[in-house]
PDB file of all heavy atoms in Angstrom:
ATOM      1  N   ASP A 102     158.590 184.550  49.338  1.00 78.00           N
ATOM      2  CA  ASP A 102     159.200 185.719  49.982  1.00 78.00           C
ATOM      3  C   ASP A 102     158.813 185.852  51.447  1.00 78.00           C
ATOM      4  O   ASP A 102     159.333 186.707  52.160  1.00 78.00           O
ATOM      5  CB  ASP A 102     158.854 187.002  49.215  1.00 78.00           C
ATOM      6  CG  ASP A 102     157.371 187.318  49.211  1.00 78.00           C
ATOM      7  OD1 ASP A 102     156.546 186.407  49.439  1.00 78.00           O
ATOM      8  OD2 ASP A 102     157.024 188.488  48.973  1.00 78.00           O
ATOM      9  N   GLN A 103     157.916 184.994  51.925  1.00 74.00           N
ATOM     10  CA  GLN A 103     157.508 185.022  53.331  1.00 74.00           C
ATOM     11  C   GLN A 103     158.276 184.000  54.174  1.00 74.00           C
ATOM     12  O   GLN A 103     158.020 183.867  55.361  1.00 74.00           O
ATOM     13  CB  GLN A 103     156.005 184.749  53.446  1.00 74.00           C
ATOM     14  CG  GLN A 103     155.162 185.833  52.814  1.00 74.00           C
ATOM     15  CD  GLN A 103     153.704 185.421  52.771  1.00 74.00           C
ATOM     16  OE1 GLN A 103     153.354 184.425  52.150  1.00 74.00           O
ATOM     17  NE2 GLN A 103     152.874 186.184  53.456  1.00 74.00           N
ATOM     18  N   GLY A 104     159.197 183.289  53.580  1.00 74.00           N
ATOM     19  CA  GLY A 104     160.024 182.350  54.318  1.00 74.00           C
ATOM     20  C   GLY A 104     159.304 181.091  54.756  1.00 74.00           C
ATOM     21  O   GLY A 104     159.280 180.761  55.935  1.00 74.00           O
ATOM     22  N   PRO A 105     158.728 180.354  53.821  1.00 79.00           N
ATOM     23  CA  PRO A 105     158.029 179.124  54.200  1.00 79.00           C
ATOM     24  C   PRO A 105     158.994 178.060  54.709  1.00 79.00           C
ATOM     25  O   PRO A 105     160.200 178.148  54.495  1.00 79.00           O
ATOM     26  CB  PRO A 105     157.380 178.670  52.886  1.00 79.00           C
ATOM     27  CG  PRO A 105     158.294 179.208  51.835  1.00 79.00           C
ATOM     28  CD  PRO A 105     158.776 180.540  52.374  1.00 79.00           C
ATOM     29  N   ILE A 106     158.451 177.083  55.389  1.00 80.00           N
ATOM     30  CA  ILE A 106     159.255 175.969  55.855  1.00 80.00           C
ATOM     31  C   ILE A 106     159.889 175.275  54.656  1.00 80.00           C
ATOM     32  O   ILE A 106     159.302 175.224  53.578  1.00 80.00           O
ATOM     33  CB  ILE A 106     158.403 174.981  56.681  1.00 80.00           C
ATOM     34  CG1 ILE A 106     159.310 173.986  57.399  1.00 80.00           C
ATOM     35  CG2 ILE A 106     157.376 174.287  55.831  1.00 80.00           C
ATOM     36  CD1 ILE A 106     158.574 173.143  58.434  1.00 80.00           C
ATOM     37  N   ALA A 107     161.074 174.798  54.832  1.00 80.00           N
ATOM     38  CA  ALA A 107     161.779 174.098  53.755  1.00 80.00           C
ATOM     39  C   ALA A 107     162.314 172.786  54.306  1.00 80.00           C
ATOM     40  O   ALA A 107     162.587 172.663  55.492  1.00 80.00           O
ATOM     41  CB  ALA A 107     162.922 174.959  53.225  1.00 80.00           C
ATOM     42  N   PHE A 108     162.459 171.829  53.433  1.00 81.00           N
ATOM     43  CA  PHE A 108     162.961 170.514  53.821  1.00 81.00           C
ATOM     44  C   PHE A 108     164.181 170.193  52.978  1.00 81.00           C
ATOM     45  O   PHE A 108     164.260 170.572  51.822  1.00 81.00           O
ATOM     46  CB  PHE A 108     161.884 169.444  53.606  1.00 81.00           C
ATOM     47  CG  PHE A 108     160.659 169.693  54.419  1.00 81.00           C
ATOM     48  CD1 PHE A 108     159.605 170.435  53.904  1.00 81.00           C
ATOM     49  CD2 PHE A 108     160.558 169.210  55.710  1.00 81.00           C
ATOM     50  CE1 PHE A 108     158.468 170.677  54.658  1.00 81.00           C
ATOM     51  CE2 PHE A 108     159.431 169.447  56.471  1.00 81.00           C
ATOM     52  CZ  PHE A 108     158.387 170.177  55.945  1.00 81.00           C
ATOM     53  N   MET A 109     165.110 169.470  53.573  1.00 83.00           N
ATOM     54  CA  MET A 109     166.315 169.059  52.851  1.00 83.00           C
ATOM     55  C   MET A 109     166.238 167.564  52.602  1.00 83.00           C
ATOM     56  O   MET A 109     166.170 166.774  53.551  1.00 83.00           O
ATOM     57  CB  MET A 109     167.557 169.426  53.656  1.00 83.00           C
ATOM     58  CG  MET A 109     167.705 170.933  53.825  1.00 83.00           C
ATOM     59  SD  MET A 109     169.119 171.388  54.827  1.00 83.00           S
ATOM     60  CE  MET A 109     170.433 171.051  53.672  1.00 83.00           C
ATOM     61  N   ARG A 110     166.215 167.191  51.339  1.00 88.00           N
ATOM     62  CA  ARG A 110     166.083 165.792  50.934  1.00 88.00           C
ATOM     63  C   ARG A 110     167.151 164.918  51.600  1.00 88.00           C
ATOM     64  O   ARG A 110     168.326 165.248  51.617  1.00 88.00           O
ATOM     65  CB  ARG A 110     166.185 165.686  49.425  1.00 88.00           C
ATOM     66  CG  ARG A 110     165.970 164.284  48.898  1.00 88.00           C
ATOM     67  CD  ARG A 110     166.081 164.232  47.382  1.00 88.00           C
ATOM     68  NE  ARG A 110     165.145 165.126  46.727  1.00 88.00           N
ATOM     69  CZ  ARG A 110     163.905 164.791  46.367  1.00 88.00           C
ATOM     70  NH1 ARG A 110     163.448 163.588  46.618  1.00 88.00           N
ATOM     71  NH2 ARG A 110     163.132 165.659  45.765  1.00 88.00           N
ATOM     72  N   GLY A 111     166.692 163.809  52.175  1.00 86.00           N
ATOM     73  CA  GLY A 111     167.592 162.808  52.724  1.00 86.00           C
ATOM     74  C   GLY A 111     168.056 163.042  54.153  1.00 86.00           C
ATOM     75  O   GLY A 111     168.669 162.167  54.754  1.00 86.00           O
ATOM     76  N   THR A 112     167.765 164.213  54.725  1.00 82.00           N
ATOM     77  CA  THR A 112     168.273 164.487  56.073  1.00 82.00           C
ATOM     78  C   THR A 112     167.598 163.618  57.132  1.00 82.00           C
ATOM     79  O   THR A 112     168.135 163.467  58.224  1.00 82.00           O
ATOM     80  CB  THR A 112     168.104 165.967  56.452  1.00 82.00           C
ATOM     81  OG1 THR A 112     166.730 166.332  56.340  1.00 82.00           O
ATOM     82  CG2 THR A 112     168.955 166.854  55.552  1.00 82.00           C
ATOM     83  N   HIS A 113     166.463 163.040  56.810  1.00 79.00           N
ATOM     84  CA  HIS A 113     165.790 162.143  57.759  1.00 79.00           C
ATOM     85  C   HIS A 113     166.515 160.804  57.886  1.00 79.00           C
ATOM     86  O   HIS A 113     166.226 160.017  58.778  1.00 79.00           O
ATOM     87  CB  HIS A 113     164.337 161.916  57.327  1.00 79.00           C
ATOM     88  CG  HIS A 113     164.214 161.172  56.032  1.00 79.00           C
ATOM     89  ND1 HIS A 113     164.555 161.746  54.830  1.00 79.00           N
ATOM     90  CD2 HIS A 113     163.822 159.909  55.765  1.00 79.00           C
ATOM     91  CE1 HIS A 113     164.369 160.862  53.867  1.00 79.00           C
ATOM     92  NE2 HIS A 113     163.929 159.742  54.398  1.00 79.00           N
ATOM     93  N   GLU A 114     167.456 160.556  57.002  1.00 85.00           N
ATOM     94  CA  GLU A 114     168.183 159.286  57.013  1.00 85.00           C
ATOM     95  C   GLU A 114     169.473 159.362  57.834  1.00 85.00           C
ATOM     96  O   GLU A 114     170.253 158.418  57.847  1.00 85.00           O
ATOM     97  CB  GLU A 114     168.478 158.862  55.578  1.00 85.00           C
ATOM     98  CG  GLU A 114     167.199 158.617  54.802  1.00 85.00           C
ATOM     99  CD  GLU A 114     167.409 158.360  53.333  1.00 85.00           C
ATOM    100  OE1 GLU A 114     168.420 158.816  52.757  1.00 85.00           O
ATOM    101  OE2 GLU A 114     166.544 157.696  52.756  1.00 85.00           O
ATOM    102  N   GLY A 115     169.711 160.488  58.493  1.00 80.00           N
ATOM    103  CA  GLY A 115     170.852 160.623  59.390  1.00 80.00           C
ATOM    104  C   GLY A 115     172.023 161.288  58.717  1.00 80.00           C
ATOM    105  O   GLY A 115     172.004 161.519  57.528  1.00 80.00           O
ATOM    106  N   PRO A 116     173.032 161.648  59.466  1.00 87.00           N
ATOM    107  CA  PRO A 116     173.133 161.502  60.912  1.00 87.00           C
ATOM    108  C   PRO A 116     172.328 162.572  61.635  1.00 87.00           C
ATOM    109  O   PRO A 116     171.844 163.523  61.010  1.00 87.00           O
ATOM    110  CB  PRO A 116     174.626 161.713  61.174  1.00 87.00           C
ATOM    111  CG  PRO A 116     175.035 162.693  60.123  1.00 87.00           C
ATOM    112  CD  PRO A 116     174.212 162.307  58.895  1.00 87.00           C
ATOM    113  N   LEU A 117     172.170 162.410  62.959  1.00 84.00           N
ATOM    114  CA  LEU A 117     171.522 163.426  63.769  1.00 84.00           C
ATOM    115  C   LEU A 117     172.579 164.418  64.243  1.00 84.00           C
ATOM    116  O   LEU A 117     173.677 164.034  64.611  1.00 84.00           O
ATOM    117  CB  LEU A 117     170.825 162.793  64.976  1.00 84.00           C
ATOM    118  CG  LEU A 117     169.675 161.860  64.625  1.00 84.00           C
ATOM    119  CD1 LEU A 117     169.087 161.253  65.893  1.00 84.00           C
ATOM    120  CD2 LEU A 117     168.603 162.571  63.833  1.00 84.00           C
ATOM    121  N   PHE A 118     172.227 165.701  64.220  1.00 85.00           N
ATOM    122  CA  PHE A 118     173.153 166.755  64.607  1.00 85.00           C
ATOM    123  C   PHE A 118     172.708 167.396  65.913  1.00 85.00           C
ATOM    124  O   PHE A 118     171.512 167.546  66.166  1.00 85.00           O
ATOM    125  CB  PHE A 118     173.229 167.826  63.510  1.00 85.00           C
ATOM    126  CG  PHE A 118     173.760 167.294  62.212  1.00 85.00           C
ATOM    127  CD1 PHE A 118     172.896 166.896  61.206  1.00 85.00           C
ATOM    128  CD2 PHE A 118     175.125 167.181  62.011  1.00 85.00           C
ATOM    129  CE1 PHE A 118     173.379 166.397  60.009  1.00 85.00           C
ATOM    130  CE2 PHE A 118     175.621 166.684  60.810  1.00 85.00           C
ATOM    131  CZ  PHE A 118     174.749 166.296  59.814  1.00 85.00           C
ATOM    132  N   SER A 119     173.661 167.792  66.727  1.00 84.00           N
ATOM    133  CA  SER A 119     173.355 168.465  67.987  1.00 84.00           C
ATOM    134  C   SER A 119     172.786 169.852  67.713  1.00 84.00           C
ATOM    135  O   SER A 119     173.152 170.504  66.726  1.00 84.00           O
ATOM    136  CB  SER A 119     174.624 168.606  68.835  1.00 84.00           C
ATOM    137  OG  SER A 119     174.336 169.339  70.006  1.00 84.00           O
ATOM    138  N   MET A 120     171.925 170.311  68.600  1.00 82.00           N
ATOM    139  CA  MET A 120     171.385 171.662  68.495  1.00 82.00           C
ATOM    140  C   MET A 120     172.207 172.630  69.346  1.00 82.00           C
ATOM    141  O   MET A 120     171.834 173.778  69.519  1.00 82.00           O
ATOM    142  CB  MET A 120     169.920 171.687  68.925  1.00 82.00           C
ATOM    143  CG  MET A 120     169.029 170.887  67.986  1.00 82.00           C
ATOM    144  SD  MET A 120     167.254 171.118  68.259  1.00 82.00           S
ATOM    145  CE  MET A 120     167.032 170.487  69.896  1.00 82.00           C
ATOM    146  N   TYR A 121     173.342 172.163  69.874  1.00 85.00           N
ATOM    147  CA  TYR A 121     174.191 172.984  70.744  1.00 85.00           C
ATOM    148  C   TYR A 121     175.619 172.973  70.230  1.00 85.00           C
ATOM    149  O   TYR A 121     176.107 171.977  69.708  1.00 85.00           O
ATOM    150  CB  TYR A 121     174.146 172.437  72.177  1.00 85.00           C
ATOM    151  CG  TYR A 121     172.749 172.509  72.751  1.00 85.00           C
ATOM    152  CD1 TYR A 121     171.859 171.452  72.567  1.00 85.00           C
ATOM    153  CD2 TYR A 121     172.313 173.639  73.422  1.00 85.00           C
ATOM    154  CE1 TYR A 121     170.573 171.524  73.054  1.00 85.00           C
ATOM    155  CE2 TYR A 121     171.026 173.712  73.910  1.00 85.00           C
ATOM    156  CZ  TYR A 121     170.151 172.656  73.730  1.00 85.00           C
ATOM    157  OH  TYR A 121     168.878 172.726  74.198  1.00 85.00           O
ATOM    158  N   ASP A 122     176.300 174.107  70.411  1.00 90.00           N
ATOM    159  CA  ASP A 122     177.705 174.158  70.001  1.00 90.00           C
ATOM    160  C   ASP A 122     178.589 173.593  71.114  1.00 90.00           C
ATOM    161  O   ASP A 122     178.090 173.112  72.145  1.00 90.00           O
ATOM    162  CB  ASP A 122     178.106 175.584  69.611  1.00 90.00           C
ATOM    163  CG  ASP A 122     178.048 176.588  70.756  1.00 90.00           C
ATOM    164  OD1 ASP A 122     177.976 176.165  71.950  1.00 90.00           O
ATOM    165  OD2 ASP A 122     178.082 177.797  70.481  1.00 90.00           O
ATOM    166  N   ASP A 123     179.900 173.640  70.926  1.00 93.00           N
ATOM    167  CA  ASP A 123     180.839 173.052  71.887  1.00 93.00           C
ATOM    168  C   ASP A 123     180.765 173.712  73.264  1.00 93.00           C
ATOM    169  O   ASP A 123     181.111 173.106  74.268  1.00 93.00           O
ATOM    170  CB  ASP A 123     182.274 173.137  71.357  1.00 93.00           C
ATOM    171  CG  ASP A 123     182.481 172.217  70.144  1.00 93.00           C
ATOM    172  OD1 ASP A 123     181.691 171.268  69.976  1.00 93.00           O
ATOM    173  OD2 ASP A 123     183.420 172.479  69.376  1.00 93.00           O
ATOM    174  N   ALA A 124     180.294 174.959  73.321  1.00 94.00           N
ATOM    175  CA  ALA A 124     180.168 175.669  74.598  1.00 94.00           C
ATOM    176  C   ALA A 124     178.811 175.433  75.249  1.00 94.00           C
ATOM    177  O   ALA A 124     178.512 176.003  76.296  1.00 94.00           O
ATOM    178  CB  ALA A 124     180.394 177.173  74.385  1.00 94.00           C
TER     179      ALA A 124
END
Side-chain angles (χ1 to χ4, degrees):
D102 64 339
Q103 295 172 299
I106 192 169
F108 299 91
M109 296 178 74
R110 184 180 303 270
T112 57
H113 66 289
E114 297 173 334
L117 296 178
F118 297 97
S119 176
M120 294 191 297
Y121 298 89
D122 64 15
D123 292 339

